[in-house]
PDB file of all heavy atoms in Angstrom:
ATOM      1  N   LEU A   1     -18.896   1.928 -11.882  1.00 84.00           N
ATOM      2  CA  LEU A   1     -17.741   0.977 -12.245  1.00 84.00           C
ATOM      3  C   LEU A   1     -16.369   1.695 -11.916  1.00 84.00           C
ATOM      4  O   LEU A   1     -15.393   1.084 -11.418  1.00 84.00           O
ATOM      5  CB  LEU A   1     -17.847   0.560 -13.596  1.00 84.00           C
ATOM      6  CG  LEU A   1     -16.648  -0.263 -14.207  1.00 84.00           C
ATOM      7  CD1 LEU A   1     -16.588  -1.721 -13.367  1.00 84.00           C
ATOM      8  CD2 LEU A   1     -16.922  -0.633 -15.626  1.00 84.00           C
ATOM      9  N   ILE A   2     -16.274   2.947 -12.471  1.00 88.00           N
ATOM     10  CA  ILE A   2     -15.027   3.677 -12.246  1.00 88.00           C
ATOM     11  C   ILE A   2     -14.730   3.900 -10.856  1.00 88.00           C
ATOM     12  O   ILE A   2     -13.603   3.743 -10.391  1.00 88.00           O
ATOM     13  CB  ILE A   2     -15.085   5.018 -13.084  1.00 88.00           C
ATOM     14  CG1 ILE A   2     -15.163   4.724 -14.631  1.00 88.00           C
ATOM     15  CG2 ILE A   2     -13.895   5.911 -12.838  1.00 88.00           C
ATOM     16  CD1 ILE A   2     -15.414   5.953 -15.410  1.00 88.00           C
ATOM     17  N   ASP A   3     -15.797   4.303 -10.102  1.00 89.00           N
ATOM     18  CA  ASP A   3     -15.564   4.522  -8.624  1.00 89.00           C
ATOM     19  C   ASP A   3     -15.103   3.319  -7.996  1.00 89.00           C
ATOM     20  O   ASP A   3     -14.212   3.301  -7.037  1.00 89.00           O
ATOM     21  CB  ASP A   3     -16.905   5.087  -8.017  1.00 89.00           C
ATOM     22  CG  ASP A   3     -17.276   6.455  -8.557  1.00 89.00           C
ATOM     23  OD1 ASP A   3     -16.318   7.149  -9.039  1.00 89.00           O
ATOM     24  OD2 ASP A   3     -18.464   6.882  -8.431  1.00 89.00           O
ATOM     25  N   THR A   4     -15.788   2.124  -8.374  1.00 85.00           N
ATOM     26  CA  THR A   4     -15.328   0.877  -7.721  1.00 85.00           C
ATOM     27  C   THR A   4     -13.831   0.501  -7.922  1.00 85.00           C
ATOM     28  O   THR A   4     -13.085   0.193  -7.030  1.00 85.00           O
ATOM     29  CB  THR A   4     -16.264  -0.288  -8.195  1.00 85.00           C
ATOM     30  OG1 THR A   4     -17.599   0.061  -7.863  1.00 85.00           O
ATOM     31  CG2 THR A   4     -15.843  -1.531  -7.536  1.00 85.00           C
ATOM     32  N   ILE A   5     -13.421   0.730  -9.179  1.00 85.00           N
ATOM     33  CA  ILE A   5     -12.024   0.473  -9.566  1.00 85.00           C
ATOM     34  C   ILE A   5     -11.143   1.343  -8.931  1.00 85.00           C
ATOM     35  O   ILE A   5     -10.092   0.895  -8.377  1.00 85.00           O
ATOM     36  CB  ILE A   5     -11.942   0.435 -11.146  1.00 85.00           C
ATOM     37  CG1 ILE A   5     -12.807  -0.648 -11.742  1.00 85.00           C
ATOM     38  CG2 ILE A   5     -10.456   0.273 -11.571  1.00 85.00           C
ATOM     39  CD1 ILE A   5     -12.732  -0.643 -13.261  1.00 85.00           C
ATOM     40  N   LYS A   6     -11.493   2.586  -8.957  1.00 89.00           N
ATOM     41  CA  LYS A   6     -10.618   3.637  -8.192  1.00 89.00           C
ATOM     42  C   LYS A   6     -10.496   3.351  -6.750  1.00 89.00           C
ATOM     43  O   LYS A   6      -9.491   3.458  -6.127  1.00 89.00           O
ATOM     44  CB  LYS A   6     -11.116   4.966  -8.458  1.00 89.00           C
ATOM     45  CG  LYS A   6     -10.912   5.548  -9.982  1.00 89.00           C
ATOM     46  CD  LYS A   6     -11.431   6.965 -10.038  1.00 89.00           C
ATOM     47  CE  LYS A   6     -11.076   7.475 -11.361  1.00 89.00           C
ATOM     48  NZ  LYS A   6     -11.485   8.860 -11.627  1.00 89.00           N
ATOM     49  N   GLU A   7     -11.635   2.960  -6.087  1.00 89.00           N
ATOM     50  CA  GLU A   7     -11.599   2.589  -4.714  1.00 89.00           C
ATOM     51  C   GLU A   7     -10.682   1.376  -4.428  1.00 89.00           C
ATOM     52  O   GLU A   7      -9.865   1.386  -3.395  1.00 89.00           O
ATOM     53  CB  GLU A   7     -13.002   2.362  -4.166  1.00 89.00           C
ATOM     54  CG  GLU A   7     -13.222   2.198  -2.727  1.00 89.00           C
ATOM     55  CD  GLU A   7     -12.866   3.526  -2.026  1.00 89.00           C
ATOM     56  OE1 GLU A   7     -13.103   4.554  -2.613  1.00 89.00           O
ATOM     57  OE2 GLU A   7     -12.406   3.447  -0.797  1.00 89.00           O
ATOM     58  N   LYS A   8     -10.734   0.378  -5.290  1.00 86.00           N
ATOM     59  CA  LYS A   8      -9.802  -0.761  -5.104  1.00 86.00           C
ATOM     60  C   LYS A   8      -8.368  -0.213  -5.348  1.00 86.00           C
ATOM     61  O   LYS A   8      -7.493  -0.778  -4.595  1.00 86.00           O
ATOM     62  CB  LYS A   8     -10.197  -1.815  -6.166  1.00 86.00           C
ATOM     63  CG  LYS A   8     -11.391  -2.566  -5.865  1.00 86.00           C
ATOM     64  CD  LYS A   8     -11.456  -3.762  -6.750  1.00 86.00           C
ATOM     65  CE  LYS A   8     -12.660  -4.703  -6.354  1.00 86.00           C
ATOM     66  NZ  LYS A   8     -12.738  -5.981  -7.202  1.00 86.00           N
ATOM     67  N   GLN A   9      -8.196   0.607  -6.282  1.00 88.00           N
ATOM     68  CA  GLN A   9      -6.732   1.096  -6.458  1.00 88.00           C
ATOM     69  C   GLN A   9      -6.249   1.860  -5.320  1.00 88.00           C
ATOM     70  O   GLN A   9      -5.180   1.724  -4.831  1.00 88.00           O
ATOM     71  CB  GLN A   9      -6.726   2.038  -7.762  1.00 88.00           C
ATOM     72  CG  GLN A   9      -5.474   2.687  -8.053  1.00 88.00           C
ATOM     73  CD  GLN A   9      -4.293   1.563  -8.349  1.00 88.00           C
ATOM     74  OE1 GLN A   9      -4.645   0.350  -8.671  1.00 88.00           O
ATOM     75  NE2 GLN A   9      -3.073   1.941  -8.190  1.00 88.00           N
ATOM     76  N   LYS A  10      -7.170   2.709  -4.685  1.00 90.00           N
ATOM     77  CA  LYS A  10      -6.691   3.457  -3.543  1.00 90.00           C
ATOM     78  C   LYS A  10      -6.423   2.486  -2.309  1.00 90.00           C
ATOM     79  O   LYS A  10      -5.377   2.673  -1.565  1.00 90.00           O
ATOM     80  CB  LYS A  10      -7.912   4.420  -3.014  1.00 90.00           C
ATOM     81  CG  LYS A  10      -8.005   5.556  -3.961  1.00 90.00           C
ATOM     82  CD  LYS A  10      -9.185   6.477  -3.515  1.00 90.00           C
ATOM     83  CE  LYS A  10      -9.255   7.593  -4.475  1.00 90.00           C
ATOM     84  NZ  LYS A  10     -10.372   8.593  -3.930  1.00 90.00           N
ATOM     85  N   THR A  11      -7.279   1.431  -2.158  1.00 89.00           N
ATOM     86  CA  THR A  11      -6.962   0.493  -1.185  1.00 89.00           C
ATOM     87  C   THR A  11      -5.622  -0.236  -1.340  1.00 89.00           C
ATOM     88  O   THR A  11      -4.871  -0.494  -0.452  1.00 89.00           O
ATOM     89  CB  THR A  11      -8.037  -0.610  -1.131  1.00 89.00           C
ATOM     90  OG1 THR A  11      -9.385   0.078  -0.937  1.00 89.00           O
ATOM     91  CG2 THR A  11      -7.909  -1.650   0.007  1.00 89.00           C
ATOM     92  N   THR A  12      -5.405  -0.595  -2.681  1.00 88.00           N
ATOM     93  CA  THR A  12      -4.063  -1.274  -2.997  1.00 88.00           C
ATOM     94  C   THR A  12      -2.938  -0.311  -2.757  1.00 88.00           C
ATOM     95  O   THR A  12      -1.945  -0.724  -2.243  1.00 88.00           O
ATOM     96  CB  THR A  12      -4.169  -1.617  -4.540  1.00 88.00           C
ATOM     97  OG1 THR A  12      -5.144  -2.497  -4.698  1.00 88.00           O
ATOM     98  CG2 THR A  12      -2.753  -2.284  -4.928  1.00 88.00           C
ATOM     99  N   GLU A  13      -3.056   0.957  -2.987  1.00 90.00           N
ATOM    100  CA  GLU A  13      -1.974   1.852  -2.825  1.00 90.00           C
ATOM    101  C   GLU A  13      -1.749   2.009  -1.278  1.00 90.00           C
ATOM    102  O   GLU A  13      -0.492   2.022  -0.835  1.00 90.00           O
ATOM    103  CB  GLU A  13      -2.430   3.266  -3.396  1.00 90.00           C
ATOM    104  CG  GLU A  13      -2.365   3.265  -4.901  1.00 90.00           C
ATOM    105  CD  GLU A  13      -2.814   4.619  -5.520  1.00 90.00           C
ATOM    106  OE1 GLU A  13      -3.140   5.411  -4.665  1.00 90.00           O
ATOM    107  OE2 GLU A  13      -2.778   4.837  -6.721  1.00 90.00           O
ATOM    108  N   LYS A  14      -2.717   2.093  -0.479  1.00 90.00           N
ATOM    109  CA  LYS A  14      -2.538   2.180   0.960  1.00 90.00           C
ATOM    110  C   LYS A  14      -1.917   1.009   1.571  1.00 90.00           C
ATOM    111  O   LYS A  14      -0.945   0.967   2.374  1.00 90.00           O
ATOM    112  CB  LYS A  14      -3.936   2.380   1.655  1.00 90.00           C
ATOM    113  CG  LYS A  14      -4.543   3.786   1.460  1.00 90.00           C
ATOM    114  CD  LYS A  14      -5.883   3.927   2.236  1.00 90.00           C
ATOM    115  CE  LYS A  14      -6.481   5.203   1.956  1.00 90.00           C
ATOM    116  NZ  LYS A  14      -7.798   5.445   2.565  1.00 90.00           N
ATOM    117  N   GLN A  15      -2.269  -0.193   1.066  1.00 88.00           N
ATOM    118  CA  GLN A  15      -1.735  -1.465   1.461  1.00 88.00           C
ATOM    119  C   GLN A  15      -0.239  -1.525   1.030  1.00 88.00           C
ATOM    120  O   GLN A  15       0.676  -1.882   1.817  1.00 88.00           O
ATOM    121  CB  GLN A  15      -2.455  -2.633   0.892  1.00 88.00           C
ATOM    122  CG  GLN A  15      -1.982  -4.010   1.388  1.00 88.00           C
ATOM    123  CD  GLN A  15      -2.819  -5.068   0.653  1.00 88.00           C
ATOM    124  OE1 GLN A  15      -3.382  -4.945  -0.262  1.00 88.00           O
ATOM    125  NE2 GLN A  15      -2.722  -6.287   1.445  1.00 88.00           N
ATOM    126  N   ALA A  16       0.072  -1.000  -0.188  1.00 89.00           N
ATOM    127  CA  ALA A  16       1.445  -1.078  -0.591  1.00 89.00           C
ATOM    128  C   ALA A  16       2.296  -0.076   0.272  1.00 89.00           C
ATOM    129  O   ALA A  16       3.452  -0.419   0.595  1.00 89.00           O
ATOM    130  CB  ALA A  16       1.457  -0.591  -2.134  1.00 89.00           C
ATOM    131  N   GLU A  17       1.763   1.107   0.593  1.00 91.00           N
ATOM    132  CA  GLU A  17       2.513   1.994   1.480  1.00 91.00           C
ATOM    133  C   GLU A  17       2.833   1.357   2.727  1.00 91.00           C
ATOM    134  O   GLU A  17       3.985   1.657   3.330  1.00 91.00           O
ATOM    135  CB  GLU A  17       1.697   3.337   1.549  1.00 91.00           C
ATOM    136  CG  GLU A  17       1.567   4.093   0.305  1.00 91.00           C
ATOM    137  CD  GLU A  17       0.635   5.349   0.515  1.00 91.00           C
ATOM    138  OE1 GLU A  17       0.171   5.509   1.698  1.00 91.00           O
ATOM    139  OE2 GLU A  17       0.589   6.147  -0.360  1.00 91.00           O
ATOM    140  N   ALA A  18       1.818   0.700   3.338  1.00 90.00           N
ATOM    141  CA  ALA A  18       2.090  -0.080   4.680  1.00 90.00           C
ATOM    142  C   ALA A  18       3.166  -0.972   4.562  1.00 90.00           C
ATOM    143  O   ALA A  18       4.085  -1.188   5.370  1.00 90.00           O
ATOM    144  CB  ALA A  18       0.821  -0.668   5.124  1.00 90.00           C
ATOM    145  N   PHE A  19       3.077  -1.875   3.443  1.00 88.00           N
ATOM    146  CA  PHE A  19       4.210  -2.843   3.196  1.00 88.00           C
ATOM    147  C   PHE A  19       5.573  -2.161   3.040  1.00 88.00           C
ATOM    148  O   PHE A  19       6.562  -2.719   3.568  1.00 88.00           O
ATOM    149  CB  PHE A  19       3.907  -3.742   1.970  1.00 88.00           C
ATOM    150  CG  PHE A  19       2.677  -4.680   2.232  1.00 88.00           C
ATOM    151  CD1 PHE A  19       1.947  -5.120   1.201  1.00 88.00           C
ATOM    152  CD2 PHE A  19       2.385  -5.108   3.480  1.00 88.00           C
ATOM    153  CE1 PHE A  19       0.868  -5.964   1.410  1.00 88.00           C
ATOM    154  CE2 PHE A  19       1.330  -5.950   3.754  1.00 88.00           C
ATOM    155  CZ  PHE A  19       0.556  -6.460   2.686  1.00 88.00           C
ATOM    156  N   ILE A  20       5.543  -1.179   2.316  1.00 90.00           N
ATOM    157  CA  ILE A  20       6.820  -0.464   1.976  1.00 90.00           C
ATOM    158  C   ILE A  20       7.487   0.080   3.279  1.00 90.00           C
ATOM    159  O   ILE A  20       8.599  -0.023   3.579  1.00 90.00           O
ATOM    160  CB  ILE A  20       6.671   0.632   0.966  1.00 90.00           C
ATOM    161  CG1 ILE A  20       6.424  -0.063  -0.455  1.00 90.00           C
ATOM    162  CG2 ILE A  20       7.905   1.452   0.849  1.00 90.00           C
ATOM    163  CD1 ILE A  20       6.023   1.046  -1.479  1.00 90.00           C
ATOM    164  N   LYS A  21       6.560   0.671   4.101  1.00 91.00           N
ATOM    165  CA  LYS A  21       7.013   1.250   5.374  1.00 91.00           C
ATOM    166  C   LYS A  21       7.652   0.126   6.275  1.00 91.00           C
ATOM    167  O   LYS A  21       8.664   0.347   6.862  1.00 91.00           O
ATOM    168  CB  LYS A  21       5.853   1.994   6.052  1.00 91.00           C
ATOM    169  CG  LYS A  21       6.264   2.614   7.327  1.00 91.00           C
ATOM    170  CD  LYS A  21       5.059   3.346   7.937  1.00 91.00           C
ATOM    171  CE  LYS A  21       5.551   4.074   9.208  1.00 91.00           C
ATOM    172  NZ  LYS A  21       4.363   4.782   9.852  1.00 91.00           N
ATOM    173  N   GLU A  22       6.862  -0.922   6.253  1.00 88.00           N
ATOM    174  CA  GLU A  22       7.365  -2.104   7.168  1.00 88.00           C
ATOM    175  C   GLU A  22       8.664  -2.614   6.545  1.00 88.00           C
ATOM    176  O   GLU A  22       9.552  -3.031   7.340  1.00 88.00           O
ATOM    177  CB  GLU A  22       6.266  -3.274   7.116  1.00 88.00           C
ATOM    178  CG  GLU A  22       6.539  -4.295   8.128  1.00 88.00           C
ATOM    179  CD  GLU A  22       5.474  -5.294   8.208  1.00 88.00           C
ATOM    180  OE1 GLU A  22       4.391  -5.051   7.618  1.00 88.00           O
ATOM    181  OE2 GLU A  22       5.641  -6.379   8.856  1.00 88.00           O
ATOM    182  N   LEU A  23       8.798  -2.731   5.292  1.00 89.00           N
ATOM    183  CA  LEU A  23      10.020  -3.303   4.649  1.00 89.00           C
ATOM    184  C   LEU A  23      11.231  -2.258   4.900  1.00 89.00           C
ATOM    185  O   LEU A  23      12.327  -2.787   5.199  1.00 89.00           O
ATOM    186  CB  LEU A  23       9.841  -3.497   3.139  1.00 89.00           C
ATOM    187  CG  LEU A  23       8.946  -4.649   2.725  1.00 89.00           C
ATOM    188  CD1 LEU A  23       8.596  -4.663   1.230  1.00 89.00           C
ATOM    189  CD2 LEU A  23       9.738  -5.972   2.980  1.00 89.00           C
ATOM    190  N   GLU A  24      10.945  -0.983   4.809  1.00 91.00           N
ATOM    191  CA  GLU A  24      11.970  -0.029   5.114  1.00 91.00           C
ATOM    192  C   GLU A  24      12.548  -0.167   6.545  1.00 91.00           C
ATOM    193  O   GLU A  24      13.709   0.038   6.805  1.00 91.00           O
ATOM    194  CB  GLU A  24      11.463   1.401   4.726  1.00 91.00           C
ATOM    195  CG  GLU A  24      11.392   1.622   3.253  1.00 91.00           C
ATOM    196  CD  GLU A  24      10.767   2.983   2.984  1.00 91.00           C
ATOM    197  OE1 GLU A  24      10.367   3.635   3.973  1.00 91.00           O
ATOM    198  OE2 GLU A  24      10.819   3.425   1.796  1.00 91.00           O
ATOM    199  N   GLN A  25      11.533  -0.413   7.477  1.00 89.00           N
ATOM    200  CA  GLN A  25      11.959  -0.523   8.870  1.00 89.00           C
ATOM    201  C   GLN A  25      12.856  -1.730   9.026  1.00 89.00           C
ATOM    202  O   GLN A  25      13.797  -1.761   9.722  1.00 89.00           O
ATOM    203  CB  GLN A  25      10.663  -0.619   9.713  1.00 89.00           C
ATOM    204  CG  GLN A  25      10.985  -0.655  11.176  1.00 89.00           C
ATOM    205  CD  GLN A  25       9.722  -0.663  12.009  1.00 89.00           C
ATOM    206  OE1 GLN A  25       8.622  -0.600  11.430  1.00 89.00           O
ATOM    207  NE2 GLN A  25       9.854  -0.741  13.331  1.00 89.00           N
ATOM    208  N   GLU A  26      12.348  -2.860   8.280  1.00 87.00           N
ATOM    209  CA  GLU A  26      13.191  -4.115   8.474  1.00 87.00           C
ATOM    210  C   GLU A  26      14.559  -3.895   7.766  1.00 87.00           C
ATOM    211  O   GLU A  26      15.606  -4.417   8.236  1.00 87.00           O
ATOM    212  CB  GLU A  26      12.524  -5.185   7.782  1.00 87.00           C
ATOM    213  CG  GLU A  26      11.249  -5.743   8.676  1.00 87.00           C
ATOM    214  CD  GLU A  26      10.691  -7.013   8.088  1.00 87.00           C
ATOM    215  OE1 GLU A  26      11.253  -7.559   7.000  1.00 87.00           O
ATOM    216  OE2 GLU A  26       9.697  -7.492   8.627  1.00 87.00           O
ATOM    217  N   ILE A  27      14.616  -3.101   6.729  1.00 89.00           N
ATOM    218  CA  ILE A  27      15.908  -2.880   6.008  1.00 89.00           C
ATOM    219  C   ILE A  27      16.821  -2.230   6.951  1.00 89.00           C
ATOM    220  O   ILE A  27      18.024  -2.403   7.081  1.00 89.00           O
ATOM    221  CB  ILE A  27      15.661  -2.166   4.766  1.00 89.00           C
ATOM    222  CG1 ILE A  27      15.002  -3.032   3.680  1.00 89.00           C
ATOM    223  CG2 ILE A  27      16.965  -1.577   4.149  1.00 89.00           C
ATOM    224  CD1 ILE A  27      14.578  -2.447   2.369  1.00 89.00           C
ATOM    225  N   SER A  28      16.238  -1.141   7.771  1.00 88.00           N
ATOM    226  CA  SER A  28      17.167  -0.404   8.679  1.00 88.00           C
ATOM    227  C   SER A  28      17.598  -1.271   9.785  1.00 88.00           C
ATOM    228  O   SER A  28      18.750  -1.129  10.113  1.00 88.00           O
ATOM    229  CB  SER A  28      16.127   0.718   9.282  1.00 88.00           C
ATOM    230  OG  SER A  28      16.871   1.402  10.098  1.00 88.00           O
ATOM    231  N   GLU A  29      16.868  -2.177  10.310  1.00 85.00           N
ATOM    232  CA  GLU A  29      17.184  -3.085  11.334  1.00 85.00           C
ATOM    233  C   GLU A  29      18.315  -4.075  10.799  1.00 85.00           C
ATOM    234  O   GLU A  29      19.323  -4.300  11.498  1.00 85.00           O
ATOM    235  CB  GLU A  29      16.035  -3.762  11.956  1.00 85.00           C
ATOM    236  CG  GLU A  29      15.069  -3.001  12.723  1.00 85.00           C
ATOM    237  CD  GLU A  29      13.911  -3.665  13.185  1.00 85.00           C
ATOM    238  OE1 GLU A  29      13.787  -4.847  12.853  1.00 85.00           O
ATOM    239  OE2 GLU A  29      13.043  -3.084  13.907  1.00 85.00           O
ATOM    240  N   LEU A  30      18.081  -4.487   9.604  1.00 86.00           N
ATOM    241  CA  LEU A  30      19.050  -5.472   9.025  1.00 86.00           C
ATOM    242  C   LEU A  30      20.336  -4.823   8.790  1.00 86.00           C
ATOM    243  O   LEU A  30      21.488  -5.286   8.819  1.00 86.00           O
ATOM    244  CB  LEU A  30      18.434  -6.117   7.710  1.00 86.00           C
ATOM    245  CG  LEU A  30      17.269  -7.124   7.954  1.00 86.00           C
ATOM    246  CD1 LEU A  30      16.687  -7.495   6.622  1.00 86.00           C
ATOM    247  CD2 LEU A  30      17.780  -8.344   8.689  1.00 86.00           C
TER     248      LEU A  30
END
């Protein structure tokens, strides 16, 4: 259970990092 939850958390963190990177790129262009 702990491994499953941590794995989901890691996936969420990676997804958030990708969104943040994309948002920062759009902020630079804007």
Side-chain angles (χ1 to χ4, degrees):
L1 175 63
I2 294 174
D3 291 342
T4 300
I5 295 175
K6 287 184 177 181
E7 189 65 29
K8 285 190 175 182
Q9 178 63 20
K10 288 181 180 179
T11 302
T12 302
E13 290 176 356
K14 290 181 179 180
Q15 186 180 20
E17 289 176 358
F19 287 156
I20 291 172
K21 184 176 181 181
E22 187 176 354
L23 286 170
E24 288 177 348
Q25 184 177 358
E26 289 189 1
I27 290 173
S28 177
E29 292 178 357
L30 291 173

